[in-house]
Structures are given as C-alpha cells and as structure tokens.
Amino acid sequence: TTHHEEKSDGDDRTSVSRPGLERRRSSVLFASRILANRSIAEGTSNVLLASGGDGLITSRRDLLSASRLRSGGSLVDLDMHVHPSISRQSLSPIIDRNSSTDTTTTTAVSDEDAKLDVELMEDEVLDTDSKLYSWGRGVQSLHDDSDDRILKLGQDDKKSNAKLMQVSSRLGSKSILHSSCATYQSACATSRGTLYVVGKNVHGCVDPNSPEGEVITRPMILDCIDNIRVAQVSCGYDHTAVLSANGSVLTWGSNLHGQLGHHFNCHQKVESTDYQGPTNCRPKGMALGMGRRASSIACGTNYTLVLTQHMSLFACGIPTIAGHRDADKWGMPQEIPSLVGLPLVGIAAGDEHASVVTAHGTAFVWGENRNGCCARDFPEILTLPMPVKATTVSSHSGINTESTGSDDIAIKHVACGLAHTIFVARCGDLLVCGSNYAGQLGIDASKLKSTSNVLSIHHPKGGKFVSAEAGNGNSLVLDSDGDVWVTDTNGLKCIVEGKGVLAISAGGDGNCIAVASDQIGSKSLQRQFSMEMPEDTRSIVDTVNSLLEEMESDGSIEQHAGQEIAKKSEELLQHPSVLNLILNPVELETMIERILCAGDLATRQTIANAIERGLKLGLQSLRGSRMIYPEAVRCLLSYIKFFSIRRDENIVFDVRGEAIFLFCDTILGIPFEAYRALHDFATNLYSRKLFVKMLVRPLLLALNACTKVTTDENEVHHFEPSRQAVPVIVAVLSWFYAMAEEAKLAEPADFYSDGVSKMDVESLFEDLYNMKKASPHERSKHFFLCAHPFLLSPGCKRNLLQMESQVEMFKCMMRDVNYDASMSQIKVQPFYELDIEREHLVEQTLEKIKQADPKDIRKRLRVSFKGEEGLDAGGVTKEFFQLLSEELFDVHSGLWTDKYGDDLNWFNTDNTWDDKGYELIGVLFGLALYNSVLLDVHFPLAVYRKILGLPLGLEDIMDEQLQRGLKQLLDYPGDDVEDIFCLTFEMTWMSMGEERKLELKPDGANIPVTNNNREEYVLRYVRWVLVDSVQTQWDSFQTGLMRVMEDSSLDLFLPEELELLVVGTPELDFAALEANTKYDGGYNKDSDVVKNFWTFIKDAPPETQVRLLKFAAASTKAPIGGLGKMDFVIQRAGPDSQNLPTSHTCFNTLLLPDYGSDFEKLKNLLGRAILECEGFGLE
C-alpha cells in the first residue's frame, strides 16, 4: 500500500489508491468506531470517515493505522453530498456513540470527496423499484440541487412537469418508503430504513450536529441515527421525528415548547406555561411509557402527535394541542383524555390545529380555528377534539351548495395545512374547510376565500381520491389511479398522470413529494426490513378462533393453545380502542362463549386469570378519560359479556370484586353524551336475545356472586369480599332495565336476581323497613336493595309483603292489649273474626265489615262457618274468599259492566247508587292481599296499574275494536284525517237504551279532529274511558282498599306481578307439583297408591284437576311461581278402606288412604271426594 499526503487550504487529507480499482464502488459513512474497524477488517468497505472522543482514533490516518487492510487494498475518498458553495469545514460532525464523552470532531473532506455516494454499512445496493418526484423550493426539497422547481399548470405541461419533477440523481436510484417536507426541511426514508435529510438547519431540525442555520442543499444521510431502521418520518416547523422499526419514536431539533417529548428534569419550580426548552436537541427517544410502541407520527409547527400500535394518541408541545400539564410533566407526551377508547387509525398535524380519524370513519379536529379550519364558526380555539358533523357537509359546484347524505361523511384520511383541512371520504370525495386564499381547498379562490362549512369536492374525472397532504397555502391529492392533483388559485389540476404514484407529501410553501412504483400493478411501497407491527383486532379474533379449533381437534396441544388464548384475550381486553373495532355483537358473543368453554379446568382457570387481568388493565386505562364520544364507549358493552365466566362455579374469578367494581364505577362515571351513545348501541345493535345474554345475565351472575352468604356450623353468616360491588352493579342494572323497558328488549323476569331473591327474608325486610323510614335525602345518600324491586322475583316480593303484613298484624294486636284487674291477666284479641252463614255469605260479610273498627280489620283474619267445626288455620279463609269471589265479582251483580263479556270485571259507569258497595269490595280485596289469599277476580291490567298509580294509555283499553280504531287514527299516513274519519271532540254511546253524548273539551262538538290534534283526541278519549267515566266508583273502591293496605309496599310489584299475587297463575303444571310434593305417614314416590294418584291427575280433564286443587288447597289457581312453588303433602290416612280421601286445606295436605295398586278404587273414591264434598270439620 502506498500512502501520500497532500496539504491544501489547511485541510489534512489522506489518500490511498489501489491500481485497477473500479470506478463504481459502495461507500460507507461510519459514526461508530467499532463498526468502522469491523468493516475495514472484513473488507466490506473501501471508504470511511470516523471520529472519536477518547483520543484513540480521531482521524482517517489513525483509523487506517489501527486497521488491518487486506493485501493490495486501498482507499478512495467519500462523497459528502455537499454543494460546491458550502465550506468543507461546515460539514456535519460525526458522533462516536461508543465514546464515553460527548466530544465531536468535524472532519475535513477534499473536493474530490464529492464524487461518490455515501451508503449504509449494509452495503445497500441500488434500488430502482420506485420513482421519486420532487418540486418546490430547491433548498428545502429532495431534488439534489438548490434550484426552485416551479410547475406550469397548463393543459400541455404534464410531460414537461413530469420531467422537471423526477429526481434522477442519488435519491432517484433509491426505493423510497416514506417522505415528509416542511417549511425549512425535507426528509425521506428508503425501503431499507435509511434516512436522508435536506434543508436549512433551523434549531437543528435537519442535523443537530451542524451549525445553526446551515443550508444542506443535497439530501444526506443523517449519520447520528445510522443504526436505526426508519419506517416513517415527519417534519415539523423546526423539529423532526422518525418512527423506527421497533416502534420507538426519535425526535430532534427545537424543544422550545416540549414538542420533542423528551424526558424533562427541572430542578427549579417554574410554571409549565413559562418554561422554554432547549433547541438543537440531538436525536433521542420520545418518552411514550413502558410497553408502548408507535405506529404513526405527525409533526405540527410546535407539537408532535404519536399514534400507538393499540390506537391511543399521545401528544406533546403547545397546550392548544397537547393540553395543559403540571411543571413536573412539562414536555412529556400525554394521552388526549377525550380521545381515549376511540379506535384511531389516522392522524394529521397542521400549523396549530390537528385531526384524527377513527376506524369507523369519524374525524375529530381541535386547535386554533383560523378561518374555520376546524369545521365550525366558533370558538377561536378548540381545546377539545370535536367531531366533524355530517350536517355541515354540502356539495360544492361553483359556489352553490346542496345537502349531502350522511353516508358521504365517513372519513378515511385527513390532512391539515396552515389554516385549512382536507378530509378524504370513503366515497372518494374531498371534504374541505378553512382558508382558500390560494385555492388550497381545490375551489376557485376568486369565488371563495374561506369557509367553516365542510364542502364536498368531487373528482373532476369521476374517479376517487384516496389521500391528501397539505402545506401552508397548497394541497396535494392522490387518486385511485395513481394520478397526483395539486391546487392553485383556479382549483384542482392534475400534474402527474399515468405514473402509478403510491405516496405523496406536502409542506411549507409549495414543497411537494410524490413516490411512484416501477413495478406494474404494485399497490404499496415495499419495506425491505422487518418491523414490529401490531395485530389488528380481526387478526386477534381469527387467531383465537383458530386456536380454539386446534384445541378442539387435538387435545395434546390444549395447554399451549390455552396459554395463547389467554394471552390474546388479555391483549384484547386491556386496550379499549382495539376492542371497539369489533362491531358485530353476534361474533363477539360466539367468540367469548367458545373461550369460556375452552379446555379442561386448568386451562379455563388460566384463561379466567388472563381475562381478569385484561379487564382491570383496560378499565384502568379508561379512568380519568372523558369518553364523550359514541365510538369510545362501545367497549364497555363488550366488557360485560366476559363476566359470564362466573357461571362456572369451579373457576376462581374476581374474588374481591375489583374488576366488576371497576367496570361499574367506570360506566357510572361517563357523561350524559356517552350514556346516550351506550343507550343507542344497546337498543339498536342488540336483539332481545343478545341484550339479555350479553348485557343482563353477566351482571346478574356477578350480583349473585357478590350477594352470596354462607353459614358455618355455628350458624354464623359469612359475606363475600366482593359485597362492596353490590351497589354499583345494581345501579348499572338499573340503567339496562330502563333501556329494556323503553325499547321492549327484555321481560321483567330476565332481571330477577336469584342471589337477591334467595337472601334471608328478614334481611330484605330490614332493608325495606329502613328504606321506608328514611327521608328522601337519606335515600339519596344510602343504598337500599329494595329501592330496586326489579331484581326481586314475585315470590320474594310476596314474602316481603307477607312479613310486612305480619308485623302490622302484630302491631294492631298489641294496640288492643287490655289488662283485666279482676282476673289479674292480660287480654289479647289477635284475630279479626268473621262468623258467617254459608247461605248468607255476601250479606253478612258486608254488614260485618261496615261495623268493623278499622284497627280490627288489620289484624289476622279468622273465618268460621256457622254449624261447621273446622278450625281456621288458613284453609277456611281461602274457601271463604273463593266463595265470596264467585258472588261479588259476578258481572250480573250490577257492580260491573257486561259490555266486555263475562270474563272481565270493569266498573259499571251507570252504577251511581252503590258507592258503599265498591268501598266494601275494596276492603275485601285488600283483606285478601293482606292475608295472602287468592281471589277469583278478572280485573283488566288497567285496574292494577291504577292501584299502583301508574299512567294509563291506549294499550289499556279493554275494547279491542275501539283500541284498534284509535290506533288506526294515530297511524293514518295521509293529511286528510278530517275528511276520512269525520270525527269531532264529542263522543256518543248507548246506555240503558238511551243515546248519550259527551264533549271531550269545551265546544268539542264543533271542533273537528285533524292531523294536528288527533293525538289530543285519543288522549282525551282514553282518559275518559279509563279514568273520568269511572272516577266515582274507583274512588270508593280505592278508599276501601287503603283501609287495609295503607302504607303497604305494593309499589314493589309490577302490574303483572300484582295480578299474579291477587289471582295466582291459571297454568296448572302438575308435573312441577309432583316434583315438589312431599310424602308422609309411610308413603314415598314409589308407593303404588301414589303412582296411581299421579296417573289419575295427569289423565284427568282440566275441570277435574281444578276441583282437586280446590279440594286439597282451597284454591283454583297456582300461587306465584306456579304449582312447583306450592308446598303440597300427600299423607297416608290409614290402611285400605272404603273411606273417601280428605284434606287439610290450611296446610295443602291430602289425606289419602292406602288403596294399594287398585287404580279403579282410587279413581272412584277420589273422584267422589273432589266432586261431592263441601264444608269443614274436625277430626
């Protein structure tokens, strides 16, 4: 090797030549001494430049001396890509990252060094699978010279423009992956991750190691990050950011406003608004937080946006974009609270306004609203991201506008400029707003200077736009054919046609970049390095389903597949934004059901643990967020289904109730807008079946687990640790109950909680008693379970009402306690006794009730029939009311109208002479409720609604023909109601052979029913039929009822439940009765006579079955819950004989002699007993 040294203008040069060296060779620029030594030793590079800070190797001569050169090797000088006008002394210093010091050395390079390319260590080969087009200001653009490239926008200038724009020098030979340009600088990343930068080095935005203000006219490799694979680059006003292959973000340049997102250590107490950061900051990782990886970046003038792989948006910089923060968090990236949970897929940064796009096509804008660039007239500054409303969209044709459908507002891409915004709709149109002084909206500037309304711009050739970029006063648009359109003062012009452009960028004052592919048919730019990319939701779901199928088909992989399912489930749950991408509730329900049933117990437990962790992490990420937008809150509905895992009692899940408490607390803390969104999602997307299965039952399972009480051998009650979550679970269930009631998505029975209904009745009654005793203020401060009666089954409510009646009976008894001094004893009368003759049942009963003291009526009722020896322990009372019902509620008694037939009891409007009769009936009705006895009464549901004080409507009209006619009036679509129906506000009916008329409002006979007043007509008509016409009769009935049931808890019941409480259920399921029957006296279910008894009952006609029930239980109907809830006993009544069966109706006990296997004997004797026997006696 021959060395020779030359001195020129004070520059040290070392040149090494080798005979026969090819003119075309690769060159490497090293900032790392170790990499340089390794490259020379391996012979992979002939040219290098390095510097060090520790004195070991500080010049090329030292580096060459320290390296072993291959035999015959030589060196050639490298090309630093500098313009001849720039001094070699101003070249970027090379930093040795392996040095322990921060010393930098600026290495001089000869003029000869400007003849060869500088490449990466990987010896990157020339790539020609893309074409680069660049135009605008030469100093800040990528076209390898300082000349300004200004396009001509005439019709015949396309070919000359294409030739002018195409970069044919160094970058023209590279495959470009991503590019960006701004006011002072431009940058691009190649398909192999190399970053090239160019422009004016303001505050270090191009190269922080170069002098301030230095102009780099030709794109150069930023060697201080040469070991970083760059996937994306974004240029701000005076700072730059890159996204690396591993998902980290590096930023450099000015940090005056904290836009770099670097960790900030401030030892002085300063206000965050007063502090200014440094400039010329070197590349450093943005502090996104542990585990977060970025998927996209965007730089504005003084801020930076970062979209993570799990769709969360972080921002740093000026407060109008990034929000205000404490001094100790100055400059740190933070999540935008109001965007938490949104499935964000696109971001854009303008001068001082920003925008994001969700996966569902909603665009949000915030920041300075100059010239209406935020799609609204006011305010001047939007500190909260606001959605672009469909109502603001209009179609632009010239300057005229017309309304456009909401389907066109779905956004897929957005670009922000200095004071304008361009949205690309999924339909292929542009939606624009803001300043248009230079025609940057694609509209003739002479016709429109600015707009705060979103205007729709169609493709001039009928095509579809796919993306857009914006500069200060210009915009660049790409269509689906790969043609590029630019804006000028006259509107949109096509400047690149037929080149298959795949990517564009714009920024600053007219700087633009376009990248096309040489490969025919290519739809994307190709990356030639691996990158840690996030799994989208579709992929996660598909992966889980695939693992489930593998597990079901091959049991040997169950453990591994189960662990993977657990991992994917946890990942899905801990990121609400990702979970919000799943739109189909059916698909979600199917997947969750398969997950919860996957594998053996150990596998399911592993999955359950992962689900619990994922739920907690996901819900914690929502804490503190505003969640005011519909797309953000949808995940809350998806979370609910995962609590179905509690149905497996072998699985340990959320023992302390932390996950369910966190969920309910989160959903209860959302604002009203979010609640309305949840309401719409739940009522519109979920069918009746899915609503109950996915939203109600999981919460009921959680409630049942939290209310579970265990009792040990010492009869000590132990409550679950998760009991603290009961109030919030009930509050959320109240929301869904209201939704279901409004939209008719579920039946009341779907909300009955087994856990609550199985609670000790004394505990529930104590809760009820405390609630009724509390003032309204105290009720608002304390939780009462009985304040939410929709959770209680009818049977549970019946038990509460019975206990309440028993307590009241005891109080009335104690008020009547007397002390007899003569006998030295206390006299107590615990009963209200009725001694009645069967032949005069109604007359004597009504007379005794008239004469009764009100306090006596509220004692326990005891009935006896004169001449009969039966002792009333409940059975005599039941028959008493049964017989009384048959006479009192006979429609031919004159108290009830017969216009609705014999099977319906409604007040007779013509009966104005017997008010006391209705009052006494009300008392008897109340006594039946008070003493828990069924009545054979056929009231319509409207009566029970009136008892509970609930409003009445058209649905409560008993006359089906009238109801149908009024509904037709309301639903009539035409505007000629007056001519078609010919109605006035006067009604006519026949009563006792006479025609009667009534005006529904003053002068109603002269007021026609029209389209405008038909609802009022129906309202007044219904009110008259159900309220006004029977007001006198109803008042009397209600007075009698309240004599007995005053202050009772009837309001626990729904109208349908109250009807069941009064009359029982007509469906008689004797199979359920058989399953619930107990046997005594030596019988069991396998006894011959017992088998014959059930055979007889099941084969008997319905009339015989009803008579049997009346014979054995003194009732013709089943209690609440059906016959399966009724205690029934079959007791042996001696050996075989000719005796008829008897019963204890008080205790629902049938006394059946042992007829053995003789079925005919049982049939005859039992049949005679139930058909012929009547009355009570004593044995």
Side-chain angles (χ1 to χ4, degrees), residues 157-391:
D157 296 324
K158 293 181 181 179
K159 291 185 178 180
S160 61
N161 284 337
K163 185 176 181 180
L164 175 67
M165 293 183 296
Q166 185 169 351
V167 178
S168 57
S169 57
R170 54 189 324 232
L171 286 182
S173 63
K174 307 299 177 188
S175 178
I176 304 300
L177 177 65
H178 193 269
S179 62
S180 177
C181 50
T183 301
Y184 291 117
Q185 80 275 30
S186 294
C188 67
T190 69
S191 61
R192 298 197 177 190
T194 308
L195 180 68
Y196 286 84
V197 293
V198 67
K200 187 176 182 180
N201 195 38
V202 177
H203 294 162
C205 63
V206 178
D207 184 354
N209 296 318
S210 296
E212 171 66 23
E214 179 181 5
V215 177
I216 300 172
T217 59
R218 299 189 65 193
M220 58 169 280
I221 295 175
L222 187 61
D223 45 68
C224 56
I225 61 167
D226 62 355
N227 63 336
I228 302 296
R229 296 286 193 183
V230 177
Q232 184 183 351
V233 59
S234 182
C235 298
Y237 179 77
D238 55 1
H239 73 289
T240 306
V242 295
L243 170 63
S244 70
N246 65 1
S248 61
V249 178
L250 280 76
T251 54
W252 65 90
S254 173
N255 198 31
L256 282 173
H257 302 277
Q259 60 262 48
L260 299 186
H262 293 173
H263 184 71
F264 170 69
N265 292 317
C266 181
H267 302 290
Q268 300 178 354
K269 292 184 178 180
V270 296
E271 294 292 333
S272 60
T273 54
D274 299 333
Y275 185 80
Q276 288 188 336
T279 58
N280 293 85
C281 297
R282 296 175 57 189
K284 185 178 178 181
M286 184 178 284
L288 292 176
M290 184 175 297
R292 292 194 182 98
R293 300 182 184 277
S295 62
S296 182
I297 55 176
C299 293
T301 296
N302 291 308
Y303 66 93
T304 304
L305 303 179
V306 177
L307 183 62
T308 70
Q309 292 182 353
H310 291 108
M311 301 183 173
S312 300
L313 180 69
F314 285 79
C316 55
I318 54 177
T320 52
I321 300 297
H324 295 274
R325 64 202 71 196
D326 298 332
D328 59 338
K329 295 182 180 179
W330 184 92
M332 296 291 290
Q334 70 177 9
E335 201 166 2
I336 306 296
S338 56
L339 297 179
V340 173
L342 289 173
L344 304 177
V345 294
I347 57 177
D351 180 36
E352 294 192 15
H353 75 289
S355 181
V356 295
V357 177
T358 71
H360 307 311
T362 305
F364 295 83
V365 188
W366 75 104
E368 285 203 12
N369 188 27
R370 291 194 297 244
N371 299 108
C373 63
C374 292
R376 61 197 69 239
D377 292 321
F378 60 87
E380 294 182 359
I381 297 178
L382 275 70
T383 57
L384 189 70
M386 299 297 293
V388 178
K389 297 292 186 181
T391 54

Side-chain angles (χ1 to χ4, degrees), residues 671-703:
F672 178 76
E673 297 90 341
Y675 168 73
R676 291 304 308 172
L678 274 184
H679 178 278
D680 292 341
F681 283 136
T683 55
N684 295 328
L685 296 180
Y686 291 77
S687 64
R688 288 175 61 95
K689 180 180 178 181
L690 284 180
F691 183 86
V692 174
K693 194 173 183 180
M694 295 187 67
L695 303 182
V696 178
R697 288 181 187 168
L699 291 175
L700 288 176
L701 287 171
L703 180 61

Side-chain angles (χ1 to χ4, degrees), residues 505-561:
S505 61
D509 297 321
N511 297 330
C512 297
I513 301 170
V515 181
S517 175
D518 272 349
Q519 299 178 2
I520 299 176
S522 177
K523 297 297 183 182
S524 62
L525 299 174
Q526 301 299 314
R527 173 168 39 84
Q528 300 180 33
F529 58 90
S530 62
M531 186 173 180
E532 297 186 19
M533 299 296 292
E535 271 191 307
D536 59 20
T537 304
R538 181 71 264 160
S539 176
I540 294 175
V541 173
D542 291 342
T543 301
V544 170
N545 288 330
S546 176
L547 289 168
L548 288 168
E549 291 174 1
E550 292 178 9
M551 181 184 297
E552 293 167 358
S553 60
D554 186 0
S556 62
I557 65 167
E558 181 174 300
Q559 183 177 2
H560 172 72

Side-chain angles (χ1 to χ4, degrees), residues 326-501:
D326 298 332
D328 59 338
K329 295 182 180 179
W330 184 92
M332 296 291 290
Q334 70 177 9
E335 201 166 2
I336 306 296
S338 56
L339 297 179
V340 173
L342 289 173
L344 304 177
V345 294
I347 57 177
D351 180 36
E352 294 192 15
H353 75 289
S355 181
V356 295
V357 177
T358 71
H360 307 311
T362 305
F364 295 83
V365 188
W366 75 104
E368 285 203 12
N369 188 27
R370 291 194 297 244
N371 299 108
C373 63
C374 292
R376 61 197 69 239
D377 292 321
F378 60 87
E380 294 182 359
I381 297 178
L382 275 70
T383 57
L384 189 70
M386 299 297 293
V388 178
K389 297 292 186 181
T391 54
T392 64
V393 178
S394 57
S395 178
H396 186 83
S397 177
I399 200 64
N400 299 317
T401 61
E402 59 183 40
S403 179
T404 302
S406 60
D407 291 342
D408 297 337
I409 197 62
I411 307 298
K412 67 177 181 180
H413 189 268
V414 62
C416 298
L418 179 68
H420 71 288
T421 309
I422 299 181
F423 308 96
V424 182
R426 290 178 179 174
C427 65
D429 289 346
L430 299 181
L431 307 174
V432 297
C433 62
S435 175
N436 192 48
Y437 71 91
Q440 57 264 49
L441 298 184
I443 302 172
D444 192 332
S446 64
K447 296 181 179 179
L448 182 71
K449 296 300 181 183
S450 65
T451 177
S452 59
N453 293 324
V454 179
L455 304 180
S456 177
I457 308 296
H458 303 299
H459 195 290
K461 296 182 179 180
K464 293 185 177 182
F465 295 113
V466 295
S467 67
E469 295 293 332
N472 290 343
N474 66 299
S475 300
L476 199 63
V477 188
L478 179 65
D479 66 18
S480 56
D481 295 327
D483 298 339
V484 179
W485 299 72
V486 70
T487 61
D488 71 347
T489 54
N490 296 318
L492 278 174
K493 301 291 184 180
C494 182
I495 56 168
V496 178
E497 187 174 10
K499 301 299 182 181
V501 173

